[in-house]
Amino acid sequence: MAKRRRKKEQVSWEGLLIVGILYFVWNPIYQSTGSGYIAAGVSMFVGALILGTYILILRAINHKRNERLKDSGIIEIDKMTGEQFERYLSQVYKSMGYSVQMTSKTADYGADLILQKDGKKIIIQAKRYNSNVGIKAVQEVIGAINHYKAIEGWVVTNSFLTKNAKKLAESNKVKIIEREELIELGLIIKPRVS
């Protein structure tokens, strides 16, 4: 979803740029044919102003997005190993008041973390990936819920889940925390984790 939102945002900014360029190029030509060169100069100034404003807005948006990503820690998360990501999530959820148990590296039965809070047991399958997470992660969580006698299962990733993985998660009530939610989580808990 986040990728789609960014693409739509990019298209709208590209549309504004095209309008500004057309105004900058076409309007002076049109103006110079009928009402003189002064109007053409004004039109060029307005076109340049639109184009300059577009560039400044785009830079401000990119700067804000980059600062937000840096503050969330997602850049560092993307460089982590799977085990480091699990330890990071352990600290995040501890800071949110959960009791956290990390499972063994082998024979974990589909769970990387076991959270407990208010009498609820939650299983987490952590996936620090460079590509989309497939259906296997959801299947592992589904099996782990019964094995650990948990009431919920979550897949937490720094990436995104495939369409089929999302479909299976939805039909089995597995909560998905993808990249955008992880960024938001990092922004919320950063003061408590630091």
Side-chain angles (χ1 to χ4, degrees):
M1 257 197 234
K3 288 181 181 178
R4 287 186 202 139
R5 272 186 258 143
R6 273 191 226 120
K7 187 150 185 125
K8 284 180 185 174
E9 182 180 288
Q10 185 179 12
V11 170
S12 65
W13 285 108
E14 288 171 353
L16 181 61
L17 177 62
I18 290 168
V19 168
I21 290 171
L22 286 175
Y23 186 82
F24 183 70
V25 173
W26 178 254
N27 202 23
I29 294 168
Y30 175 75
Q31 292 288 334
S32 67
T33 59
S35 60
Y37 292 105
I38 294 175
V42 170
S43 293
M44 287 179 69
F45 174 75
V46 170
L49 191 61
I50 290 171
L51 192 58
T53 302
Y54 164 76
I55 291 169
L56 289 175
I57 290 171
L58 191 59
R59 282 187 178 172
I61 288 171
N62 283 336
H63 177 71
K64 187 175 181 178
R65 184 179 297 140
N66 290 340
E67 287 300 311
R68 195 170 153 77
L69 290 175
K70 201 178 347 172
D71 288 346
S72 74
I74 197 70
I75 296 167
E76 290 79 18
I77 291 169
D78 288 340
K79 296 175 185 174
M80 290 179 181
T81 65
E83 190 176 332
Q84 289 170 330
F85 183 52
E86 290 171 21
R87 284 196 308 264
Y88 168 78
L89 290 177
S90 173
Q91 292 304 308
V92 166
Y93 288 109
K94 280 179 184 175
S95 77
M96 296 172 70
Y98 287 94
S99 166
V100 181
Q101 176 187 345
M102 294 181 70
T103 61
S104 64
K105 292 177 187 146
T106 57
D108 63 13
Y109 301 102
D112 294 316
L113 301 171
I114 302 168
L115 308 181
Q116 291 190 5
K117 184 177 181 181
D118 302 328
K120 289 172 54 175
K121 188 184 282 188
I122 301 165
I123 301 303
I124 291 184
Q125 179 59 250
K127 295 293 183 188
R128 209 282 318 143
Y129 275 23
N130 292 326
S131 59
N132 289 344
V133 177
I135 202 166
K136 185 177 182 236
V138 178
Q139 291 169 333
E140 290 173 346
V141 158
I142 293 167
I145 290 170
N146 290 328
H147 179 76
Y148 290 101
K149 296 176 179 58
I151 61 165
E152 282 184 50
W154 301 351
V155 175
V156 181
T157 181
N158 67 316
S159 185
F160 299 93
L161 271 71
T162 64
K163 184 179 175 183
N164 288 337
K166 286 180 183 180
K167 198 176 213 180
L168 183 63
E170 184 180 327
S171 66
N172 285 278
K173 296 180 176 70
V174 171
K175 182 177 178 178
I176 299 169
I177 299 175
E178 293 178 296
R179 188 173 188 83
E180 293 301 318
E181 294 89 352
L182 189 63
I183 289 170
E184 292 302 319
L185 189 62
L187 289 169
I188 291 168
I189 60 92
K190 185 161 179 98
R192 288 187 271 175
V193 173
S194 316

